Amino acid sequence: MGRDTYLRFKQEHCFGVAAGSRCPIALLKPIFPEYCAVGCCQNVIIYDQRTKTEVSHLVGVESEATTLGFDEKSLKMAVGFFDGSLRIFNIPKKIPFPAEITAALTCSNHGSGITSVAFSSDGTRLISGSRDTTIIVWDLVSERGLFRLRGHKNAITRLALIKNDSILISSSKDTLIKFWDLETQHCFHTVVHHKSEVWDFVVTENDSLMLTGSNDSEIRLFKISEQRGGTVEEQTATTEEKPSLDELIKVEPAGSRSKMTRGRVTFMAVDPFVRKYVAICGADSRLELYRINSDEEIERSLKKKRKKLIKKKGVSEEEAAQQVTRSVGDELTLITSDIRASAVIKAVAFEAVTPSTIKMSLLLSNNAFDRATLSLEKGSVSQCEVSTRIAGHRTDVRTVAFSNDTTAIMSASGESLRIWNRSSARLIRQVPCEPAVCSLFLPGDRHVLLGTKSGHLDLFDLGASVRLESQEAHQDAIWAISAFANQKGFASGSSDKSVKFWQFELATENDQKRITFEHKRTLELDEGVLALKISPDMRLVAVALLDNTVKIFFFDTLKFFLSLYGHSLPVLCLDISSDSQLIATGSADKNLKIWGLDFGDCHKSIFAHDDSLTAVAFSPNTHMVFTAGKDGVVKQWDGDSFQLVNTLKGHFGEVWCLTVSNDGKHVVTAGHDRTLRLWVKSQESLVVTEEKEKELEDEYEAEMKKEQLGGAGDEEVTAVVSRSLDTVSETDRVIEALDILRSTKADPSEKHPLLVALGGIPSEEYLLQTLKKVKSSELESCLTLLPYAYALQLLDFLSMLPRMRENEAELLTRIILFLERYVAVLTSNSEASVGRDVKGRVWLGEGRRGEGITTWDDIIEQGIRWEGEREGGGPLSIVRTG
């Protein structure tokens, strides 16, 4: 490889995470009753709850999944991500599922993380809400955004469609709940009764009652009623002039009641079966379950109370009716508040509801999800059982290590030690342990040594999955363990200001020999030890201390050799190259320093990360250095040229540890998101200058998207337009096709080389193929970027097509009518300049195909249904001149 060329490391596996806490649970009922989908970092994993195994996973983007929704009719799953992108997946109709399911459609029109999605009842439309305060309505058939709704002043928290998808309800952190008329595209009612952020809401049976939860502990009820008799659909169908929804729909407060637990409401869920049970989560591990009573049940209960009052106090029926009135307690009945999980409950999904049993899936904050099973007797809970379904590491992974043969990976956290198969990323062993911060595979790979925060060294037998021995090695936390190159022992460094050297021995126990370790000597220091490394030639010992320095000692005599100073904050990690020539140190001052071990000179100081460095490791037999930091990024550096080779992104949160395999082909990282990520050296070449150019392009695209979203103004409804570098490239290809068309028309005898390479196809056919390759969601954006002259050329070409093929009629009609509006905007007198007057858009229904529509004139003559603008529709009027 050249000096500027390297082999790229790619992520092969992401494992160890069972369930992310940002994304809710989606049950794939009723088609796949045992399957559920859970967001796990950038992917969505589909589990079989019966067998507790992973069935498939949906491939996400380089951002964390924040919300998801499933439509049982169309079998589509929408996944929103933290970067504002939205992916639509088609779930297979039959099992078994493929191991990976890729997105059928990707949209990136939001400026920040998507917080909620809602499908229409027929699955043809999708609504998405974001932290950028906007709501976008998507048409999944044409794969484009229809319009963007603005009105909230803070992040959207929940969306819901009611009244046969004619009304959209949205809640936000701006304390408001808005009701939107999707036909006229405006907000017709705003609920202003909350004094703090509205975190969630649910709508119960018949869309007649709404429950909301905000930053206080109150559950508020609102009645949704239809005025003037009949349903909204009946009234709008029978009257010639459609009344507005603010005249038909009335939203009134119906009281409030306090939760049994303290703190704000974080999540609410209504059962999808009878829509009478509501589960409410708070900021703790308790779940409250309520029942919504029907009007008939409330009236029966009130009659019983009035009869009891008349019998007890002898009052008249009128007095009893005045004293016993309808209250919030009659509407909302608490069933139980004693459902307790092992951690904070983040989301709930109802699995099944019967008169005697309720089953719910609980998503927890500690990388696990449970199942709660409630047995009901006469409306009350007789038994409640909570069982763990699937779990990963419950706390941050603080140490990882490769086995000596690189076939296994060890990870340890605050509660368990786990062994994984490297090739399949499957869990092999799991053993409970104390909070661990460093680890080591012993020779033979049958035993693992852990250094804990309590100062103990714990020895584990992996074959039997038991802890063999625990020695109180230090008086404080053990932050580092380094093995001898001859594999006969190791050294441990602790905050108790000492480094201890240990030797492996054979001990006899129950007439059987097993490995153990004995303390041989101690190096006393003036400061606590944060990192430790023994050089591969076993000549030196490097120790990082709390005084911001690294002290180098001779291994055999433990005499002082060098002091490396220059960091302004403590050194948190270090490593020595395989040839014992270089030492790399990473500090809380965000700098990576590379030193020579001969004289202790600093070869280079690099500002490596945006936050503290947490791990440093040399690749064996090279001077390539891997670093990890609290900024969630892993970077690869060339220790000779000191240039950044590659940036490995994937973690969401601090990266606490990394390790490199003995062959240098694999790197494992782990951190705060409780995931382990395996990076593998591929055969793909990486050119550093190209990587820098790509970073600049990404920054430019991000700025372009930011400017585009920032210039929207205060309009309540705007178009959904997205411009990216891909859109610019697609526009360039259309312009190139138009240039080829013009040149071939000017000189038909000249054959363009590109057309010859494609088999000698006509230039008109090449232009149509280019237009069809443009993404449907980016078509309008691509056409908007066309220069005025090219837009006119394309419009004239499409208008004069002798025949419109059936499978292209919808696409070409959409292009023509958009260009009509676009050109009309660019000219002061559109009818005189262009010869056409277009006031809206055409909808080409499925039923219109094959009805003799072959040319542009046929489209006009057939009278395709016209959809007007918000202020009202009208017939399509196109004036042809010439």
Side-chain angles (χ1 to χ4, degrees):
M1 292 289 176
R3 185 176 180 83
D4 200 37
T5 306
Y6 304 87
L7 292 179
R8 184 186 301 274
F9 273 82
K10 292 184 175 181
Q11 181 176 305
E12 184 178 52
H13 293 298
C14 173
F15 55 100
V17 59
S21 59
R22 281 182 176 267
C23 210
I25 302 175
L27 302 178
L28 275 60
K29 292 179 177 291
I31 309 298
F32 309 105
E34 293 296 333
Y35 286 7
C36 70
V38 182
C40 297
C41 294
Q42 77 274 18
N43 298 323
V44 174
I45 297 179
I46 299 177
Y47 287 108
D48 187 336
Q49 298 189 81
R50 181 174 53 85
T51 60
K52 300 182 181 181
T53 57
E54 178 182 335
V55 175
S56 178
H57 74 271
L58 313 183
V59 181
V61 296
E62 292 184 356
S63 183
E64 190 172 8
T66 54
T67 187
L68 57 87
F70 176 68
D71 180 63
E72 62 185 39
K73 290 187 178 180
S74 61
L75 291 182
K76 293 183 183 293
M77 182 167 289
V79 184
F81 295 89
F82 190 76
D83 63 355
S85 60
L86 178 68
R87 286 198 159 194
I88 312 299
F89 298 85
N90 293 324
I91 303 299
K93 297 180 180 180
K94 296 181 180 180
I95 54 177
F97 286 0
E100 290 186 355
I101 301 176
T102 56
L105 174 64
T106 301
C107 307
S108 301
N109 295 88
H110 282 291
S112 57
I114 296 177
T115 54
S116 181
V117 293
F119 278 97
S120 62
S121 57
D122 58 2
T124 60
R125 286 192 176 189
L126 176 69
I127 321 294
S128 62
S130 170
R131 295 175 61 189
D132 64 5
T133 74
T134 66
I135 301 167
I136 296 181
V137 180
W138 305 90
D139 187 345
L140 298 182
V141 178
S142 61
E143 299 182 353
R144 63 192 181 98
L146 297 179
F147 51 87
R148 189 191 305 266
L149 300 175
R150 299 177 181 271
H152 287 289
K153 302 301 181 183
N154 209 329
I156 308 296
T157 56
R158 179 66 66 186
L159 298 172
L161 288 166
I162 63 171
K163 306 300 181 184
N164 290 339
D165 304 334
S166 61
I167 298 175
L168 170 67
I169 307 177
S170 62
S171 63
S172 171
K173 290 184 181 180
D174 62 3
T175 75
L176 302 178
I177 296 179
K178 289 182 175 290
F179 286 70
W180 305 83
D181 183 349
L182 292 185
E183 184 175 358
T184 59
Q185 303 171 14
H186 83 287
C187 175
F188 67 89
H189 184 78
T190 302
V191 177
V192 295
H193 296 78
H194 299 86
K195 298 181 180 179
S196 57
E197 296 95 332
V198 181
W199 289 99
D200 208 347
F201 70 88
V202 292
V203 181
T204 61
E205 188 180 12
N206 299 325
D207 298 336
S208 59
L209 184 66
M210 180 175 66
L211 280 68
T212 66
S214 59
N215 233 17
D216 52 26
S217 59
E218 293 292 315
I219 305 170
R220 292 176 173 82
L221 282 70
F222 295 88
K223 285 286 187 181
I224 304 174
S225 57
E226 299 175 353
Q227 304 299 306
R228 299 200 295 183
T231 64
V232 173
E233 292 77 13
E234 293 173 351
Q235 296 178 55
T236 55
T238 55
T239 55
E240 295 182 0
E241 182 180 351
K242 292 185 178 181
S244 60
L245 283 180
D246 54 353
E247 299 175 356
L248 298 178
I249 299 297
K250 188 175 183 181
V251 183
E252 296 178 314
S256 65
R257 66 170 296 167
S258 299
K259 293 197 310 86
M260 300 302 294
T261 55
R262 294 182 179 180
R264 67 178 177 92
V265 175
T266 59
F267 190 86
M268 305 176 75
V270 62
D271 78 276
F273 308 101
V274 295
R275 296 182 70 183
K276 288 186 177 181
Y277 294 96
V278 178
I280 299 178
C281 306
D284 54 14
S285 60
R286 293 174 62 184
L287 174 68
E288 298 181 14
L289 184 65
Y290 293 86
R291 186 180 188 276
I292 305 297
N293 299 316
S294 63
D295 292 337
E296 293 79 7
E297 292 170 335
I298 294 173
E299 288 300 324
R300 286 198 300 267
S301 176
L302 292 177
K303 285 181 180 180
K304 289 181 181 179
K305 292 179 181 179
R306 289 164 185 166
K307 285 182 180 180
K308 187 180 292 186
L309 182 63
I310 293 172
K311 185 177 180 180
K312 186 175 181 179
K313 296 187 177 181
V315 298
S316 63
E317 293 184 2
E318 294 181 356
E319 292 176 343
Q322 293 177 356
Q323 295 182 28
V324 180
T325 58
R326 194 164 177 166
S327 64
V328 177
D330 298 319
E331 301 271 1
L332 193 64
T333 302
L334 176 66
I335 297 178
T336 181
S337 61
D338 199 30
I339 304 175
R340 298 178 182 270
S342 58
V344 176
I345 303 174
K346 290 293 186 178
V348 182
F350 284 86
E351 295 182 23
V353 175
T354 65
S356 60
T357 305
I358 296 178
K359 293 182 179 180
M360 296 177 288
S361 293
L362 312 179
L363 180 66
L364 308 183
S365 62
N366 62 349
N367 194 19
F369 65 93
D370 297 351
R371 168 182 280 181
T373 304
L374 281 67
S375 300
L376 303 179
E377 287 185 6
K378 297 181 180 180
S380 61
V381 176
S382 60
Q383 185 180 0
C384 177
E385 179 183 352
V386 179
S387 58
T388 300
R389 306 303 303 274
I390 300 173
H393 277 291
R394 301 297 184 91
T395 55
D396 294 9
V397 180
R398 300 306 296 252
T399 177
V400 290
F402 269 109
S403 60
N404 295 300
D405 59 2
T406 71
T407 60
I409 300 170
M410 186 275 299
S411 63
S413 61
E415 86 294 333
S416 66
L417 160 70
R418 300 183 180 219
I419 306 298
W420 311 83
N421 182 283
R422 178 188 57 79
S423 58
S424 64
R426 298 285 184 180
L427 180 64
I428 303 175
R429 293 284 189 274
Q430 179 177 344
V431 187
C433 70
E434 294 183 11
V437 290
C438 53
S439 59
L440 177 69
F441 263 101
L442 271 60
D445 296 334
R446 297 180 59 185
H447 299 84
V448 166
L449 187 70
L450 292 185
T452 67
K453 287 186 178 181
S454 61
H456 287 75
L457 286 173
D458 294 345
L459 181 63
F460 292 86
D461 185 343
L462 299 181
S465 298
V466 295
R467 184 173 63 178
L468 295 177
E469 185 178 354
S470 179
Q471 290 191 28
E472 188 177 351
H474 292 269
Q475 301 300 316
D476 208 339
I478 301 175
W479 293 111
I481 296 176
S482 181
F484 298 168
N486 58 14
Q487 297 188 342
K488 292 183 179 180
F490 64 94
S492 61
S494 170
S495 298
D496 64 0
K497 304 179 183 180
S498 68
V499 175
K500 293 187 178 182
F501 296 84
W502 308 78
Q503 186 172 332
F504 296 126
E505 302 288 349
L506 286 177
T508 303
E509 187 177 283
N510 298 329
D511 296 330
Q512 292 184 351
K513 291 186 178 181
R514 67 170 181 84
I515 194 169
T516 185
F517 51 94
E518 293 184 359
H519 177 227
K520 294 301 181 181
R521 51 183 179 160
T522 302
L523 173 64
E524 298 291 343
L525 300 163
D526 297 330
E527 298 286 344
V529 177
L530 297 178
L532 167 69
K533 184 66 178 181
I534 298 174
S535 63
D537 60 4
M538 294 187 65
R539 188 174 69 92
L540 301 173
V541 180
V543 183
L545 304 178
L546 271 173
D547 60 0
N548 308 343
T549 64
V550 176
K551 298 290 194 297
I552 310 295
F553 300 87
F554 288 105
F555 176 77
D556 51 358
T557 62
L558 299 184
K559 290 185 177 180
F560 176 76
F561 174 51
L562 291 171
S563 179
L564 309 180
Y565 55 90
H567 285 289
S568 58
L569 290 173
V571 175
L572 303 179
C573 49
L574 59 85
D575 195 21
I576 299 176
S577 61
S578 300
D579 57 7
S580 301
Q581 297 296 313
L582 300 178
I583 179 172
T585 59
S587 167
D589 61 9
K590 311 174 187 179
N591 289 321
L592 167 70
K593 292 182 183 290
I594 299 177
W595 317 72
L597 275 177
D598 292 334
F599 306 101
D601 55 323
C602 180
H603 291 181
K604 188 69 174 180
S605 180
I606 306 170
F607 186 80
H609 289 262
D610 294 332
D611 209 332
S612 303
L613 274 75
T614 55
V616 170
F618 274 98
S619 182
N621 304 317
T622 69
H623 285 175
M624 304 298 293
V625 185
F626 290 91
T627 62
K630 288 185 178 181
D631 56 0
V633 176
V634 179
K635 294 185 178 181
Q636 181 186 5
W637 306 84
D638 189 332
D640 294 325
S641 62
F642 314 118
Q643 66 178 348
L644 175 63
V645 175
N646 196 11
T647 301
L648 308 179
K649 297 180 180 180
H651 282 283
F652 307 104
E654 298 90 341
V655 181
W656 293 120
C657 50
L658 71 84
T659 183
V660 184
S661 62
N662 291 333
D663 57 6
K665 296 180 179 179
H666 302 88
V667 176
V668 169
T669 58
H672 177 69
D673 58 6
R674 298 162 191 161
T675 64
L676 283 81
R677 297 178 186 266
L678 177 63
W679 311 85
V680 180
K681 181 187 288 187
S682 66
Q683 296 303 313
E684 179 184 348
S685 297
L686 180 152
V687 181
V688 175
T689 54
E690 292 180 357
E691 292 298 308
K692 292 180 180 178
E693 291 176 0
K694 185 178 178 181
E695 288 182 6
L696 292 176
E697 289 179 356
D698 293 340
E699 292 177 3
Y700 171 73
E701 186 170 349
E703 286 294 327
M704 186 167 55
K705 185 176 181 180
K706 185 177 179 181
E707 292 176 1
Q708 172 188 329
L709 295 172
D714 297 329
E715 297 181 9
E716 188 177 60
V717 181
T718 57
V720 181
V721 180
S722 175
R723 294 180 183 177
S724 62
L725 292 179
D726 292 337
T727 310
V728 175
S729 300
E730 290 171 344
T731 305
D732 291 339
R733 286 192 288 269
V734 174
I735 292 175
E736 181 187 19
L738 289 170
D739 288 337
I740 294 174
L741 176 66
R742 185 171 61 250
S743 63
T744 54
K745 292 295 183 183
D747 187 5
S749 61
E750 183 180 354
K751 298 294 183 180
H752 195 277
L754 182 58
L755 301 181
V756 175
L758 294 175
I761 62 174
S763 56
E764 296 88 349
E765 183 67 23
Y766 176 69
L767 176 57
L768 292 176
Q769 289 183 6
T770 304
L771 292 173
K772 287 191 289 186
K773 290 179 182 179
V774 179
K775 293 181 181 178
S776 179
S777 58
E778 298 180 355
L779 181 60
E780 281 81 2
S781 302
C782 174
L783 297 175
T784 305
L785 293 176
L786 284 175
Y788 180 68
Y790 284 97
L792 283 179
Q793 181 186 351
L794 179 58
L795 185 59
D796 290 336
F797 164 71
L798 296 178
S799 300
M800 300 304 174
L801 275 179
R803 185 170 186 82
M804 186 180 297
R805 286 168 287 188
E806 181 179 336
N807 60 341
E808 298 169 352
E810 186 172 353
L811 171 65
L812 299 182
T813 302
R814 180 180 166 192
I815 295 175
I816 289 171
L817 293 180
F818 179 83
L819 287 176
E820 295 279 3
R821 294 196 303 272
Y822 175 55
V823 171
V825 170
L826 297 179
T827 55
S828 57
N829 188 345
S830 59
E831 188 169 325
S833 302
V834 187
R836 301 170 179 88
D837 174 27
V838 178
K839 301 177 181 177
R841 57 189 175 92
V842 164
W843 176 81
L844 185 61
E846 293 291 336
R848 294 293 182 182
R849 292 185 178 178
E851 295 184 4
I853 301 176
T854 56
T855 65
W856 176 240
D857 290 325
D858 292 334
I859 294 176
I860 304 172
E861 293 170 4
Q862 290 289 340
I864 296 176
R865 183 168 66 86
W866 164 253
E867 286 184 345
E869 300 295 338
R870 293 195 307 275
E871 60 271 12
L876 180 63
S877 173
I878 299 179
V879 180
R880 301 292 295 253
T881 60

